[in-house]
Amino acid sequence: MGIVIAGMVSLIVVVLVLLFYNITLHKKLQKFKDIRQRVTNLNVVQDFMSTIGEDMTVDQKIKKINEILIDRYEIKYSTIVVFDGTEYIIKASNVEPKHWESLKSLQDVEIFKDSITTATPKYITVNKEGEQLPYQQSEFGRAKSAIFFPLYIDNVYIGYWILESGTPHDFDNVDTTVLERIKVNIVSVLKSVVHQKTLESMVRTDQFTGLQSEAYLYGEGKKIIDQYTTSTMCMFKIINLENINNDFSRKLGNQVVTQIGKYVLNNISNDYILIRYMGPKFVIAFSGVDNDSVAEFLNDLKEDVESLKITEKGLIEENKDDSIQATENVENIEVPEQQKEQKEEQKEEKEEKYVEPILNFVISSYYKGTGLEEVLKKLEDYLDNADINESDINNI
């Protein structure tokens, strides 16, 4: 009897030991799982931050972020939809485009409206074959369960993120806290690229010169410039443009801006960038070139531009004046009526008022990774505060 009792006690001890071991092992496994999850989350955040800094458009960045989510968390379907102020646009998705129409209209689906209002996720799933999710129209076989996350930036609703699976109840035991962290990271990325998107949408072509505007430099232009460690930024100003507008006409002033833009563009390398900065100011970005290397070129350019004679109709060509003078010196030659009319028109052109632009140049070094806008602001401040009679090339 004692042996039996001893055996039972031993068995109980073994069971308790095994139970304790299993509990300890479970805790260690759970701890390991939590550590692994935190490492994964940290890596994803790092990948997000790296993506933000990459040389690509906002839309390309969002698509890459979605690809990271799908790969790292083994998500079947992931779709990010953003409201652009006028309509909902699918920014990233690995779902076939034929299903996009329903995916970008989820804000109108009754079951998700409360989720948007309360800023809480919504989980939906089917229970048996033949059923479909509320937003599906003709895609019975693709998604059987989904989690809908509304997205907000500073309490302003901007769209949603939806995860889908082809398995019913696939998200029943998912750790929603992890998904919430991912959602927060998505919002952070969207918020970080808002400024870049604003710049991209601000890029315009100047109506007089056909050149890109200032915003171009901070987006696509900066990508080109930053291929080099050091570049030279040059800003020049037509310092007599205001006088031309007041003393002659705004039409002539516009023609001055147009002709100068065309002339400079035709006389610089395709490797450099010329933009209409604003008003009477232009900017030339000499990518990968130091200040000393552009000095002589700018001296010649300034001299050439300031020798242009510009009327309301455009440039006065020097060889045209020579031909007019030669025609005037010919005597006793019978001239056909058509040539007489042409001669009169040429005389009128010759007598038309013209102006010669006066420019003030300033240059400065730009180093990759520093603030381009700060360099341009410094150049602009110099030109705006320079003596009205200054017409030179200055290095600051």
Side-chain angles (χ1 to χ4, degrees), residues 27-57:
K27 287 182 178 179
K28 288 182 178 179
L29 289 174
Q30 187 62 44
K31 186 177 181 180
F32 175 75
K33 183 179 179 182
D34 291 342
I35 293 173
R36 182 181 177 185
Q37 187 65 63
R38 284 196 292 268
V39 170
T40 299
N41 292 341
L42 180 60
N43 289 337
V44 168
V45 172
Q46 290 175 335
D47 288 343
F48 278 10
M49 294 303 102
S50 297
T51 300
I52 290 175
E54 287 186 17
D55 184 13
M56 58 178 69
T57 66

PDB file of all heavy atoms in Angstrom, residues 27-57:
ATOM      1  N   LYS A  27       5.675  30.427 -21.426  1.00  0.00           N
ATOM      2  CA  LYS A  27       6.015  31.831 -21.170  1.00  0.00           C
ATOM      3  C   LYS A  27       7.243  32.253 -21.966  1.00  0.00           C
ATOM      4  O   LYS A  27       7.316  33.348 -22.510  1.00  0.00           O
ATOM      5  CB  LYS A  27       6.257  32.030 -19.673  1.00  0.00           C
ATOM      6  CG  LYS A  27       4.989  31.997 -18.830  1.00  0.00           C
ATOM      7  CD  LYS A  27       5.314  32.250 -17.367  1.00  0.00           C
ATOM      8  CE  LYS A  27       4.044  32.262 -16.518  1.00  0.00           C
ATOM      9  NZ  LYS A  27       4.354  32.493 -15.073  1.00  0.00           N
ATOM     10  N   LYS A  28       8.236  31.325 -22.000  1.00  0.00           N
ATOM     11  CA  LYS A  28       9.456  31.646 -22.756  1.00  0.00           C
ATOM     12  C   LYS A  28       9.165  31.778 -24.248  1.00  0.00           C
ATOM     13  O   LYS A  28       9.685  32.671 -24.912  1.00  0.00           O
ATOM     14  CB  LYS A  28      10.508  30.562 -22.520  1.00  0.00           C
ATOM     15  CG  LYS A  28      11.126  30.587 -21.131  1.00  0.00           C
ATOM     16  CD  LYS A  28      12.194  29.523 -20.980  1.00  0.00           C
ATOM     17  CE  LYS A  28      12.853  29.574 -19.604  1.00  0.00           C
ATOM     18  NZ  LYS A  28      13.891  28.517 -19.454  1.00  0.00           N
ATOM     19  N   LEU A  29       8.313  30.844 -24.735  1.00  0.00           N
ATOM     20  CA  LEU A  29       7.948  30.913 -26.154  1.00  0.00           C
ATOM     21  C   LEU A  29       7.168  32.189 -26.458  1.00  0.00           C
ATOM     22  O   LEU A  29       7.381  32.825 -27.491  1.00  0.00           O
ATOM     23  CB  LEU A  29       7.122  29.679 -26.542  1.00  0.00           C
ATOM     24  CG  LEU A  29       7.876  28.351 -26.607  1.00  0.00           C
ATOM     25  CD1 LEU A  29       6.893  27.192 -26.851  1.00  0.00           C
ATOM     26  CD2 LEU A  29       8.928  28.379 -27.719  1.00  0.00           C
ATOM     27  N   GLN A  30       6.248  32.542 -25.522  1.00  0.00           N
ATOM     28  CA  GLN A  30       5.471  33.761 -25.713  1.00  0.00           C
ATOM     29  C   GLN A  30       6.377  34.987 -25.673  1.00  0.00           C
ATOM     30  O   GLN A  30       6.227  35.917 -26.458  1.00  0.00           O
ATOM     31  CB  GLN A  30       4.392  33.869 -24.624  1.00  0.00           C
ATOM     32  CG  GLN A  30       3.415  35.027 -24.831  1.00  0.00           C
ATOM     33  CD  GLN A  30       2.633  34.863 -26.125  1.00  0.00           C
ATOM     34  OE1 GLN A  30       2.158  33.779 -26.447  1.00  0.00           O
ATOM     35  NE2 GLN A  30       2.501  35.958 -26.867  1.00  0.00           N
ATOM     36  N   LYS A  31       7.342  34.952 -24.729  1.00  0.00           N
ATOM     37  CA  LYS A  31       8.285  36.051 -24.625  1.00  0.00           C
ATOM     38  C   LYS A  31       9.127  36.153 -25.890  1.00  0.00           C
ATOM     39  O   LYS A  31       9.375  37.252 -26.418  1.00  0.00           O
ATOM     40  CB  LYS A  31       9.183  35.846 -23.401  1.00  0.00           C
ATOM     41  CG  LYS A  31      10.117  37.020 -23.131  1.00  0.00           C
ATOM     42  CD  LYS A  31      10.925  36.777 -21.859  1.00  0.00           C
ATOM     43  CE  LYS A  31      11.843  37.969 -21.587  1.00  0.00           C
ATOM     44  NZ  LYS A  31      12.645  37.751 -20.348  1.00  0.00           N
ATOM     45  N   PHE A  32       9.573  34.981 -26.361  1.00  0.00           N
ATOM     46  CA  PHE A  32      10.357  34.961 -27.603  1.00  0.00           C
ATOM     47  C   PHE A  32       9.529  35.482 -28.771  1.00  0.00           C
ATOM     48  O   PHE A  32      10.017  36.235 -29.620  1.00  0.00           O
ATOM     49  CB  PHE A  32      10.830  33.536 -27.883  1.00  0.00           C
ATOM     50  CG  PHE A  32      11.544  33.379 -29.196  1.00  0.00           C
ATOM     51  CD1 PHE A  32      12.850  33.834 -29.357  1.00  0.00           C
ATOM     52  CD2 PHE A  32      10.905  32.795 -30.287  1.00  0.00           C
ATOM     53  CE1 PHE A  32      13.511  33.693 -30.573  1.00  0.00           C
ATOM     54  CE2 PHE A  32      11.554  32.662 -31.500  1.00  0.00           C
ATOM     55  CZ  PHE A  32      12.861  33.107 -31.643  1.00  0.00           C
ATOM     56  N   LYS A  33       8.243  35.061 -28.794  1.00  0.00           N
ATOM     57  CA  LYS A  33       7.353  35.508 -29.857  1.00  0.00           C
ATOM     58  C   LYS A  33       7.168  37.019 -29.807  1.00  0.00           C
ATOM     59  O   LYS A  33       7.167  37.696 -30.834  1.00  0.00           O
ATOM     60  CB  LYS A  33       6.001  34.807 -29.737  1.00  0.00           C
ATOM     61  CG  LYS A  33       5.018  35.152 -30.837  1.00  0.00           C
ATOM     62  CD  LYS A  33       3.713  34.393 -30.654  1.00  0.00           C
ATOM     63  CE  LYS A  33       2.720  34.770 -31.756  1.00  0.00           C
ATOM     64  NZ  LYS A  33       1.412  34.055 -31.568  1.00  0.00           N
ATOM     65  N   ASP A  34       7.002  37.546 -28.575  1.00  0.00           N
ATOM     66  CA  ASP A  34       6.839  38.992 -28.418  1.00  0.00           C
ATOM     67  C   ASP A  34       8.095  39.735 -28.856  1.00  0.00           C
ATOM     68  O   ASP A  34       8.016  40.783 -29.524  1.00  0.00           O
ATOM     69  CB  ASP A  34       6.522  39.330 -26.956  1.00  0.00           C
ATOM     70  CG  ASP A  34       5.139  38.847 -26.537  1.00  0.00           C
ATOM     71  OD1 ASP A  34       4.317  38.577 -27.436  1.00  0.00           O
ATOM     72  OD2 ASP A  34       4.893  38.732 -25.317  1.00  0.00           O
ATOM     73  N   ILE A  35       9.256  39.182 -28.467  1.00  0.00           N
ATOM     74  CA  ILE A  35      10.528  39.819 -28.866  1.00  0.00           C
ATOM     75  C   ILE A  35      10.662  39.793 -30.389  1.00  0.00           C
ATOM     76  O   ILE A  35      11.048  40.789 -31.015  1.00  0.00           O
ATOM     77  CB  ILE A  35      11.727  39.102 -28.201  1.00  0.00           C
ATOM     78  CG1 ILE A  35      11.699  39.326 -26.685  1.00  0.00           C
ATOM     79  CG2 ILE A  35      13.040  39.597 -28.802  1.00  0.00           C
ATOM     80  CD1 ILE A  35      12.749  38.523 -25.928  1.00  0.00           C
ATOM     81  N   ARG A  36      10.332  38.635 -30.958  1.00  0.00           N
ATOM     82  CA  ARG A  36      10.427  38.496 -32.410  1.00  0.00           C
ATOM     83  C   ARG A  36       9.483  39.481 -33.104  1.00  0.00           C
ATOM     84  O   ARG A  36       9.837  40.081 -34.116  1.00  0.00           O
ATOM     85  CB  ARG A  36      10.084  37.065 -32.805  1.00  0.00           C
ATOM     86  CG  ARG A  36      10.202  36.804 -34.301  1.00  0.00           C
ATOM     87  CD  ARG A  36       9.831  35.366 -34.625  1.00  0.00           C
ATOM     88  NE  ARG A  36       9.884  35.133 -36.058  1.00  0.00           N
ATOM     89  CZ  ARG A  36       9.516  33.989 -36.623  1.00  0.00           C
ATOM     90  NH1 ARG A  36       9.088  32.980 -35.872  1.00  0.00           N
ATOM     91  NH2 ARG A  36       9.597  33.848 -37.933  1.00  0.00           N
ATOM     92  N   GLN A  37       8.280  39.642 -32.526  1.00  0.00           N
ATOM     93  CA  GLN A  37       7.315  40.557 -33.111  1.00  0.00           C
ATOM     94  C   GLN A  37       7.809  41.999 -33.019  1.00  0.00           C
ATOM     95  O   GLN A  37       7.673  42.783 -33.958  1.00  0.00           O
ATOM     96  CB  GLN A  37       5.961  40.433 -32.390  1.00  0.00           C
ATOM     97  CG  GLN A  37       4.831  41.239 -33.034  1.00  0.00           C
ATOM     98  CD  GLN A  37       4.505  40.731 -34.411  1.00  0.00           C
ATOM     99  OE1 GLN A  37       4.071  39.608 -34.591  1.00  0.00           O
ATOM    100  NE2 GLN A  37       4.738  41.576 -35.409  1.00  0.00           N
ATOM    101  N   ARG A  38       8.409  42.329 -31.862  1.00  0.00           N
ATOM    102  CA  ARG A  38       8.933  43.688 -31.702  1.00  0.00           C
ATOM    103  C   ARG A  38      10.073  43.953 -32.673  1.00  0.00           C
ATOM    104  O   ARG A  38      10.199  45.046 -33.233  1.00  0.00           O
ATOM    105  CB  ARG A  38       9.395  43.904 -30.256  1.00  0.00           C
ATOM    106  CG  ARG A  38       8.254  44.102 -29.276  1.00  0.00           C
ATOM    107  CD  ARG A  38       8.756  44.704 -27.967  1.00  0.00           C
ATOM    108  NE  ARG A  38       9.602  43.779 -27.231  1.00  0.00           N
ATOM    109  CZ  ARG A  38       9.156  42.931 -26.303  1.00  0.00           C
ATOM    110  NH1 ARG A  38       7.872  42.891 -26.025  1.00  0.00           N
ATOM    111  NH2 ARG A  38       9.990  42.128 -25.667  1.00  0.00           N
ATOM    112  N   VAL A  39      10.919  42.930 -32.880  1.00  0.00           N
ATOM    113  CA  VAL A  39      12.023  43.068 -33.843  1.00  0.00           C
ATOM    114  C   VAL A  39      11.467  43.283 -35.254  1.00  0.00           C
ATOM    115  O   VAL A  39      11.945  44.136 -36.004  1.00  0.00           O
ATOM    116  CB  VAL A  39      12.946  41.826 -33.805  1.00  0.00           C
ATOM    117  CG1 VAL A  39      13.934  41.868 -34.960  1.00  0.00           C
ATOM    118  CG2 VAL A  39      13.677  41.754 -32.479  1.00  0.00           C
ATOM    119  N   THR A  40      10.440  42.481 -35.579  1.00  0.00           N
ATOM    120  CA  THR A  40       9.804  42.633 -36.901  1.00  0.00           C
ATOM    121  C   THR A  40       9.224  44.037 -37.061  1.00  0.00           C
ATOM    122  O   THR A  40       9.416  44.691 -38.086  1.00  0.00           O
ATOM    123  CB  THR A  40       8.688  41.582 -37.081  1.00  0.00           C
ATOM    124  OG1 THR A  40       9.245  40.282 -37.013  1.00  0.00           O
ATOM    125  CG2 THR A  40       8.002  41.768 -38.442  1.00  0.00           C
ATOM    126  N   ASN A  41       8.511  44.485 -36.010  1.00  0.00           N
ATOM    127  CA  ASN A  41       7.925  45.827 -36.060  1.00  0.00           C
ATOM    128  C   ASN A  41       8.997  46.896 -36.221  1.00  0.00           C
ATOM    129  O   ASN A  41       8.832  47.855 -36.984  1.00  0.00           O
ATOM    130  CB  ASN A  41       7.101  46.092 -34.799  1.00  0.00           C
ATOM    131  CG  ASN A  41       5.852  45.232 -34.719  1.00  0.00           C
ATOM    132  OD1 ASN A  41       5.395  44.698 -35.729  1.00  0.00           O
ATOM    133  ND2 ASN A  41       5.306  45.083 -33.530  1.00  0.00           N
ATOM    134  N   LEU A  42      10.105  46.723 -35.469  1.00  0.00           N
ATOM    135  CA  LEU A  42      11.195  47.691 -35.552  1.00  0.00           C
ATOM    136  C   LEU A  42      11.800  47.704 -36.942  1.00  0.00           C
ATOM    137  O   LEU A  42      12.074  48.771 -37.510  1.00  0.00           O
ATOM    138  CB  LEU A  42      12.268  47.354 -34.511  1.00  0.00           C
ATOM    139  CG  LEU A  42      13.490  48.281 -34.469  1.00  0.00           C
ATOM    140  CD1 LEU A  42      13.069  49.702 -34.161  1.00  0.00           C
ATOM    141  CD2 LEU A  42      14.502  47.773 -33.437  1.00  0.00           C
ATOM    142  N   ASN A  43      12.000  46.525 -37.522  1.00  0.00           N
ATOM    143  CA  ASN A  43      12.558  46.440 -38.871  1.00  0.00           C
ATOM    144  C   ASN A  43      11.629  47.083 -39.894  1.00  0.00           C
ATOM    145  O   ASN A  43      12.091  47.740 -40.837  1.00  0.00           O
ATOM    146  CB  ASN A  43      12.811  44.978 -39.246  1.00  0.00           C
ATOM    147  CG  ASN A  43      13.975  44.369 -38.481  1.00  0.00           C
ATOM    148  OD1 ASN A  43      14.855  45.093 -38.009  1.00  0.00           O
ATOM    149  ND2 ASN A  43      13.984  43.062 -38.342  1.00  0.00           N
ATOM    150  N   VAL A  44      10.317  46.856 -39.700  1.00  0.00           N
ATOM    151  CA  VAL A  44       9.346  47.446 -40.626  1.00  0.00           C
ATOM    152  C   VAL A  44       9.391  48.967 -40.532  1.00  0.00           C
ATOM    153  O   VAL A  44       9.385  49.665 -41.547  1.00  0.00           O
ATOM    154  CB  VAL A  44       7.922  46.931 -40.328  1.00  0.00           C
ATOM    155  CG1 VAL A  44       6.883  47.752 -41.091  1.00  0.00           C
ATOM    156  CG2 VAL A  44       7.803  45.464 -40.712  1.00  0.00           C
ATOM    157  N   VAL A  45       9.454  49.487 -39.306  1.00  0.00           N
ATOM    158  CA  VAL A  45       9.536  50.939 -39.116  1.00  0.00           C
ATOM    159  C   VAL A  45      10.794  51.489 -39.779  1.00  0.00           C
ATOM    160  O   VAL A  45      10.766  52.533 -40.445  1.00  0.00           O
ATOM    161  CB  VAL A  45       9.515  51.296 -37.614  1.00  0.00           C
ATOM    162  CG1 VAL A  45       9.803  52.790 -37.422  1.00  0.00           C
ATOM    163  CG2 VAL A  45       8.165  50.950 -37.001  1.00  0.00           C
ATOM    164  N   GLN A  46      11.904  50.780 -39.602  1.00  0.00           N
ATOM    165  CA  GLN A  46      13.157  51.213 -40.221  1.00  0.00           C
ATOM    166  C   GLN A  46      13.037  51.218 -41.750  1.00  0.00           C
ATOM    167  O   GLN A  46      13.518  52.131 -42.427  1.00  0.00           O
ATOM    168  CB  GLN A  46      14.308  50.301 -39.782  1.00  0.00           C
ATOM    169  CG  GLN A  46      14.696  50.483 -38.314  1.00  0.00           C
ATOM    170  CD  GLN A  46      15.749  49.494 -37.874  1.00  0.00           C
ATOM    171  OE1 GLN A  46      15.899  48.408 -38.431  1.00  0.00           O
ATOM    172  NE2 GLN A  46      16.500  49.849 -36.828  1.00  0.00           N
ATOM    173  N   ASP A  47      12.391  50.173 -42.286  1.00  0.00           N
ATOM    174  CA  ASP A  47      12.175  50.109 -43.736  1.00  0.00           C
ATOM    175  C   ASP A  47      11.277  51.251 -44.193  1.00  0.00           C
ATOM    176  O   ASP A  47      11.479  51.827 -45.275  1.00  0.00           O
ATOM    177  CB  ASP A  47      11.549  48.769 -44.124  1.00  0.00           C
ATOM    178  CG  ASP A  47      12.537  47.619 -44.015  1.00  0.00           C
ATOM    179  OD1 ASP A  47      13.747  47.908 -43.956  1.00  0.00           O
ATOM    180  OD2 ASP A  47      12.105  46.450 -43.993  1.00  0.00           O
ATOM    181  N   PHE A  48      10.266  51.577 -43.379  1.00  0.00           N
ATOM    182  CA  PHE A  48       9.382  52.701 -43.696  1.00  0.00           C
ATOM    183  C   PHE A  48      10.182  53.996 -43.786  1.00  0.00           C
ATOM    184  O   PHE A  48      10.028  54.774 -44.732  1.00  0.00           O
ATOM    185  CB  PHE A  48       8.303  52.851 -42.613  1.00  0.00           C
ATOM    186  CG  PHE A  48       7.130  51.919 -42.776  1.00  0.00           C
ATOM    187  CD1 PHE A  48       7.156  50.878 -43.691  1.00  0.00           C
ATOM    188  CD2 PHE A  48       5.986  52.075 -42.015  1.00  0.00           C
ATOM    189  CE1 PHE A  48       6.087  50.013 -43.839  1.00  0.00           C
ATOM    190  CE2 PHE A  48       4.900  51.223 -42.158  1.00  0.00           C
ATOM    191  CZ  PHE A  48       4.958  50.191 -43.067  1.00  0.00           C
ATOM    192  N   MET A  49      11.032  54.231 -42.782  1.00  0.00           N
ATOM    193  CA  MET A  49      11.801  55.465 -42.741  1.00  0.00           C
ATOM    194  C   MET A  49      12.787  55.538 -43.922  1.00  0.00           C
ATOM    195  O   MET A  49      12.992  56.598 -44.503  1.00  0.00           O
ATOM    196  CB  MET A  49      12.571  55.563 -41.416  1.00  0.00           C
ATOM    197  CG  MET A  49      11.685  55.699 -40.180  1.00  0.00           C
ATOM    198  SD  MET A  49      10.557  57.125 -40.236  1.00  0.00           S
ATOM    199  CE  MET A  49       9.009  56.325 -40.684  1.00  0.00           C
ATOM    200  N   SER A  50      13.373  54.398 -44.257  1.00  0.00           N
ATOM    201  CA  SER A  50      14.292  54.367 -45.402  1.00  0.00           C
ATOM    202  C   SER A  50      13.548  54.688 -46.691  1.00  0.00           C
ATOM    203  O   SER A  50      14.057  55.412 -47.553  1.00  0.00           O
ATOM    204  CB  SER A  50      14.942  52.985 -45.518  1.00  0.00           C
ATOM    205  OG  SER A  50      15.732  52.701 -44.392  1.00  0.00           O
ATOM    206  N   THR A  51      12.327  54.169 -46.794  1.00  0.00           N
ATOM    207  CA  THR A  51      11.518  54.418 -47.990  1.00  0.00           C
ATOM    208  C   THR A  51      11.180  55.886 -48.122  1.00  0.00           C
ATOM    209  O   THR A  51      11.209  56.449 -49.226  1.00  0.00           O
ATOM    210  CB  THR A  51      10.218  53.581 -47.934  1.00  0.00           C
ATOM    211  OG1 THR A  51      10.557  52.196 -47.862  1.00  0.00           O
ATOM    212  CG2 THR A  51       9.365  53.827 -49.165  1.00  0.00           C
ATOM    213  N   ILE A  52      10.856  56.538 -47.000  1.00  0.00           N
ATOM    214  CA  ILE A  52      10.519  57.966 -47.026  1.00  0.00           C
ATOM    215  C   ILE A  52      11.677  58.769 -47.606  1.00  0.00           C
ATOM    216  O   ILE A  52      11.473  59.729 -48.352  1.00  0.00           O
ATOM    217  CB  ILE A  52      10.178  58.462 -45.611  1.00  0.00           C
ATOM    218  CG1 ILE A  52       8.845  57.864 -45.152  1.00  0.00           C
ATOM    219  CG2 ILE A  52      10.091  59.991 -45.569  1.00  0.00           C
ATOM    220  CD1 ILE A  52       8.490  58.194 -43.724  1.00  0.00           C
ATOM    221  N   GLY A  53      12.903  58.375 -47.272  1.00  0.00           N
ATOM    222  CA  GLY A  53      14.074  59.130 -47.724  1.00  0.00           C
ATOM    223  C   GLY A  53      14.560  58.776 -49.114  1.00  0.00           C
ATOM    224  O   GLY A  53      15.498  59.396 -49.611  1.00  0.00           O
ATOM    225  N   GLU A  54      13.948  57.789 -49.744  1.00  0.00           N
ATOM    226  CA  GLU A  54      14.417  57.370 -51.062  1.00  0.00           C
ATOM    227  C   GLU A  54      14.017  58.353 -52.159  1.00  0.00           C
ATOM    228  O   GLU A  54      13.073  59.124 -52.009  1.00  0.00           O
ATOM    229  CB  GLU A  54      13.875  55.969 -51.397  1.00  0.00           C
ATOM    230  CG  GLU A  54      14.558  54.867 -50.607  1.00  0.00           C
ATOM    231  CD  GLU A  54      14.119  53.479 -51.065  1.00  0.00           C
ATOM    232  OE1 GLU A  54      13.566  53.376 -52.169  1.00  0.00           O
ATOM    233  OE2 GLU A  54      14.314  52.521 -50.305  1.00  0.00           O
ATOM    234  N   ASP A  55      14.744  58.263 -53.257  1.00  0.00           N
ATOM    235  CA  ASP A  55      14.546  59.167 -54.392  1.00  0.00           C
ATOM    236  C   ASP A  55      13.437  58.616 -55.287  1.00  0.00           C
ATOM    237  O   ASP A  55      13.698  58.003 -56.320  1.00  0.00           O
ATOM    238  CB  ASP A  55      15.858  59.297 -55.166  1.00  0.00           C
ATOM    239  CG  ASP A  55      15.753  60.294 -56.311  1.00  0.00           C
ATOM    240  OD1 ASP A  55      14.772  61.048 -56.344  1.00  0.00           O
ATOM    241  OD2 ASP A  55      16.655  60.300 -57.175  1.00  0.00           O
ATOM    242  N   MET A  56      12.184  58.838 -54.890  1.00  0.00           N
ATOM    243  CA  MET A  56      11.039  58.382 -55.664  1.00  0.00           C
ATOM    244  C   MET A  56       9.830  59.247 -55.346  1.00  0.00           C
ATOM    245  O   MET A  56       9.840  60.016 -54.389  1.00  0.00           O
ATOM    246  CB  MET A  56      10.737  56.905 -55.373  1.00  0.00           C
ATOM    247  CG  MET A  56      10.466  56.584 -53.910  1.00  0.00           C
ATOM    248  SD  MET A  56      10.043  54.841 -53.611  1.00  0.00           S
ATOM    249  CE  MET A  56      11.599  54.030 -53.963  1.00  0.00           C
ATOM    250  N   THR A  57       8.794  59.126 -56.157  1.00  0.00           N
ATOM    251  CA  THR A  57       7.595  59.934 -55.947  1.00  0.00           C
ATOM    252  C   THR A  57       6.816  59.427 -54.740  1.00  0.00           C
ATOM    253  O   THR A  57       7.055  58.323 -54.245  1.00  0.00           O
ATOM    254  CB  THR A  57       6.679  59.894 -57.182  1.00  0.00           C
ATOM    255  OG1 THR A  57       6.171  58.550 -57.349  1.00  0.00           O
ATOM    256  CG2 THR A  57       7.432  60.304 -58.439  1.00  0.00           C
TER     257      THR A  57
END
